[in-house]
Amino acid sequence: MFNVALVLAAVALLLVVVGGIQPLAARLRLPPPVLLAIFGIAIGAASSLAPQSAFDGAARLYQGLPITSETIIYVFLPLLVFEAGIVSDVRRILEDAAPILLLAIVATLVTTAAIGFALWPLAGVPLVDCLLLGSVVATTDPAAVIAIFRDVGAPARLTRLVEGEALLNDAAAIALFVVLLGMIVSGREPSVAAGTREFAVAFLGGAALGVAAGRALLYAVSWLGGDRLAEASLTVALAYLAFIAGERLFHVSGVVTVLVAGLTVGAVGRARITPYNWAFLVDLWEQIAFWARSLVFVLASILVPRLLLNLDWHDIVLTGVLIGAALAARLFVLFGLLPPLSYFGLTQPIGTAYKLAIAWGGLRGALTLALALAVSENPALDPSVHHFVAVLATGMVLFTLLVSGTTLRPVIRLLGLDRLSPRDRVLRDQVLALAYQEVCEAVRETATQYALSKEAVAETVGPYEAWIESAGVRDEAEVALTGRARLAIALLALANQERALVLEAWSQRTVPASAVQVLLRNADALIEGARAGGRLGYRRGAKVALSFRFGFRAAYVLYKRFGMARFLADRLGERFEVLLFTRLLITELIGFTGRRLHPTFGAEIAELARKILSSRLAATTAAVEALRNQYPDHAAALETQFLRQSASRREMGRYQALFEEGLIAREIYDDLRRSVDEARQSEHRPRFDLGLDTTRLIGRLDLLSGLDKAQLARVQRLLRPRFTVPDEVILRQGERADAVYFIASGAVEVRLSRQRIQLGTGDFFGEMALLTRQPRQADVVALTYCRLLELGKSDFEKFMAENPDARAEINRVAQARLEMNRRGVAIVTDA
Ligand code: CMP
């Protein structure tokens, strides 16, 4: 039995220590886990060295806590893993999915194998046990490396790579751990094939379950009406439920399930949960994970000395081998596997100095200790295995923390990674200058508003302006910045501003959730583009933003192959919104160019940036108009909705002002607010409709206007609607003919070898090949979004037989076209 008050006091005291260690670690510039470990070991050591002392009491208290490996795994692991998932930027990780997945999974397997085979001949335990140890230490804790990378301003992409790799690494290592443990416990003959299969099932099954769980949570969130406390509670519940469901119900990897659930929530949630609530959620999780990590650390390290008590020379040698093998495996992955990846363009090349830093920074942390504890308490395992895994894994953790962790910073300095390149420094200076300029402007505004003295203003803005001045001089002296580089920096500033504008619009709810994700992705592409490729990169990013993306194309294939129009319509609706909003953004950015870029970068650069924006605006407008021309009603509905939303935001603002000024009572205010809320909620996003109703489309065809009701009804059964996007090739020259097409809306272009002819609403094409029984005469390409009515070959014959007037007209047009083409050919031969 344990005493509740005592346990609570023990945990609370631990939190005091954990809290106190943070500032100390910052002061000593050491990763906090290093200090936590030292502290824990000190308590544990004191108790084993000096029994009956006060330390012993403390240690006994902690060792006596009802915390078993099972507690650690079930209580802390889901929290740690979920947090890691929720805070990572999945979209960014997906961009580097290939190298990250490869690194994570392959690296885990390589490390496990390297360690297993290195120890096997020396350790005197079966190979599976050695492999089990390998999987225990294959998890890496990237926090220390990432913190330092951030400090030294390493490329964001590299930091993401390390982060993403560590994340999946943990999942892969734990899934592998579970498989190996299962093999040992069940006493089965270990087999690579069975192991691989189990590993794949655990991993993929967990991933699928995780996506479903994350989605379910987001669905539930939409019912909570934006209550942040409720949302946060659900996420905590999700972490545990996903883990337990994965482990106990579906028999897949619980860790992978939780991780993927977290990733899903992180990826989609940002655009489903309001930014304010999201920030709250992330803060809360940071706190939870911090507690979990710290407690695991201290508790595990209190147990360390006891484990290390019966340490002998053999163990020390084995630990040395283990550390060597782990380091060698990591170096092999970084130097042996990464280069081919970057050779095939799957990832950007990583400099040698960074690789060495990543290898040296592969600290092992709370997770390794938790897994080691799980092994050391597993009754199904042989005591010799307990000792073997626990001692070696702990030794490895201690080594990486106390040796790598404390030397990481000097090593980074030695490798020269803490020095900014001249170009990066100029970039930083310019960005800062821009920010300072804003500060100065705001100060001046405040001063005017409150009629403050000129001296006070000068005093306040003086230091900023001096800094801007001196930075300019310094930068110019150091690197003569070419106009091109300055333009690149200006474009980067623009792209950053675009991102900020999207987030602002999202927090004010003027842009719908589905569009936010796309808009953010577009802004990110511009940022990356400007950073990596300057003006060209920015242009490329802008072009990609306007192109039809993978999701759209997939929906289009679904429509064309299987006639599923819903997905396509939704994607088009989304495109409509995104384009409309992009246009607003660009217009605002053009203003920004005049106000901010001009003072910092000078007239020439500002003008260039404005030109680039103008051409973006023109391209976006063209894309909007292409849609609007075919779907004017939907465009109007979207615009109305946008205006209504900003109107209701204003309305709310007014009510609030009136209430705060005491002009309306609280009940009235609440009432008004509720009515605005209700109006907002009841307002549905206009859903995009492709408008492919055959009856209505037929009405647009003059050719069929002479038909009576019965004839129309029969024709209607023969015709099939078809939707096309701009630039889609509908017919190809030389193909065998199987249908004719009537244009119910839109325009196409007939591409003959010598000329191009445009056809519009009411025209038809594809008849010549059917009438002459020849292959197609020309390519026919859609110029706009089109709605066509398609008439198959045999139906066409039926149609011609039944409708003499239409037949006469079609024959006449075909004859004229034939003549025209022949003449065209004749002219060519004459020439
Ligand atoms: P078909 O040959 O089946 O496929 C290409 C189509 O382009 C053709 O039928 C006509 O419908 C159309 N076409 C060919 N030449 C002309 C033309 N001179 N003017 C308009 N349409 C044409």
Side-chain angles (χ1 to χ4, degrees), residues 731 737 739 750 752 755 757 759 764-770 774-780 816-818 820-821:
L731 296 183
V750 178
L752 294 150
Q755 56 183 337
I757 295 155
L759 303 177
F764 53 86
F765 58 89
E767 79 294 356
M768 285 164 76
L770 286 180
Q774 298 278 318
R776 297 277 187 212
Q777 300 261 315
D779 284 350
V780 180
R817 286 177 178 172
L818 208 59
M820 180 175 168
N821 296 355

Side-chain angles (χ1 to χ4, degrees), residues 74 178 197-214 216 238 240-258:
Y74 273 88
V178 171
R197 201 169 47 238
E198 276 178 48
F199 178 70
V201 168
F203 203 90
L204 297 179
L209 185 61
V211 170
L238 175 72
Y240 286 118
L241 290 179
F243 185 76
I244 295 170
E247 287 288 316
R248 293 286 164 94
L249 218 56
F250 293 91
H251 302 290
V252 292
S253 165
V255 169
V256 177
T257 312
V258 180

